[in-house]
Amino acid sequence: MSIFSQLSDLLGAYQRRDPAARGKLEIFLLYPGVHAVLWHRIAHWLYVHKHFFLARWVSQHARRKTGIEIHPGAKIGRRLVIDHGMGIVIGETAEIGDDCLIYHGVTLGGTGKDQGKRHPTIGNNVLISCGAKVLGPFRVGDNARIAANAVVLSEVPEDATAVGIPAQIVRIAGRTTHYADDVDQTSVRNPTLERLAALSDRLDLVEQILDEAYMKEKG
């Protein structure tokens, strides 16, 4: 596929996934996510050919222009849509598949404890919502969904939805797990908060029983 076909493919992906997009020319000229990916293609080519200083210079130039930081060593597939994009950080050994959608504030980073492969591998058609942090050298499976502000520290299966801090799987292939009854990207339940609420209710019940027992003994 020629570079112009790839560009048209990318702009078409923005048109399909962004209801505010009015046309390919507007997307090409004004969308920072497009610019960040195009600059990254250049930086990654330089990086692969061992022009590390130039590669880093290009990536830092893109960061200043777009607010999106992609290490030149990262591998990015086709039709990546970056919505808004400000504050996104993608590490050196991160890999992103085709047809992914990433919102602002996302980090594909490391834990500081790993050597070699330090950053996550993102499958195809993955959605990562705003503010989510995916940290470590594990895989996020195809068609997975990561909710806003989730902190993902371990592997996410294909077709799964991950929610919470640390993230837990609340749905796989349309079937909910025992953590929640129903989950979507606009109304997700945090399983950790649900458990804390349940513990709080049980503590209130225990205190009530103890108070009643004390009053009976005293009376």
Side-chain angles (χ1 to χ4, degrees):
M1 180 179 286
S2 70
I3 186 171
F4 296 105
S5 296
Q6 292 183 46
L7 177 59
S8 179
D9 210 24
L10 176 62
L11 299 179
Y14 273 83
Q15 281 188 304
R16 291 189 298 273
R17 306 191 83 159
D18 184 355
R22 294 181 175 83
K24 288 185 177 181
L25 181 61
E26 177 185 280
I27 296 167
F28 176 70
L29 294 176
L30 302 178
Y31 277 50
V34 173
H35 300 165
V37 170
L38 294 178
W39 281 115
H40 175 72
R41 300 298 186 200
I42 298 171
H44 185 69
W45 186 92
L46 291 168
Y47 182 89
V48 168
H49 290 82
K50 302 188 184 305
H51 303 297
F52 299 120
F53 179 84
L54 286 175
R56 192 72 179 192
W57 185 88
V58 171
S59 71
Q60 290 301 300
H61 173 77
R63 176 180 181 270
R64 290 192 297 272
K65 292 292 186 180
T66 66
I68 300 166
E69 182 169 347
I70 308 175
H71 192 283
K75 298 177 181 178
I76 294 179
R78 296 166 55 190
R79 296 180 296 274
L80 170 64
V81 173
I82 297 176
D83 199 322
H84 298 290
M86 182 63 69
I88 286 176
V89 177
I90 300 175
E92 179 181 16
T93 61
E95 299 177 46
I96 302 174
D98 298 335
D99 300 303
C100 291
L101 173 60
I102 300 179
Y103 287 89
H104 55 282
V106 165
T107 299
L108 304 182
T111 62
K113 299 178 180 180
D114 300 295
Q115 300 295 324
K117 172 67 170 167
R118 307 184 305 280
H119 305 101
T121 296
I122 309 300
N124 299 321
N125 193 37
V126 173
L127 181 148
I128 307 178
S129 298
C130 57
K133 315 301 177 189
V134 187
L135 308 176
F138 52 83
R139 179 176 174 80
V140 175
D142 296 349
N143 308 308
R145 299 291 181 264
I146 297 175
N149 294 316
V151 178
V152 183
L153 301 175
S154 58
E155 184 168 335
V156 177
E158 292 186 1
D159 303 304
T161 300
V163 175
I165 305 174
Q168 300 178 50
I169 306 304
V170 295
R171 185 170 64 185
I172 299 177
R175 300 182 62 181
T176 58
T177 68
H178 62 284
Y179 292 125
D181 296 327
D182 192 20
V183 180
D184 58 44
Q185 287 302 308
T186 58
S187 57
V188 293
R189 298 182 182 181
N190 188 321
T192 302
L193 293 180
E194 288 185 343
R195 290 177 176 179
L196 289 174
L199 288 173
S200 178
D201 291 342
R202 294 192 67 171
L203 181 59
D204 290 342
L205 178 60
V206 170
E207 289 179 343
Q208 181 182 344
I209 292 172
L210 290 175
D211 288 342
E212 291 176 354
Y214 175 76
M215 295 300 296
K216 287 182 179 179
E217 182 178 345
K218 186 177 180 180

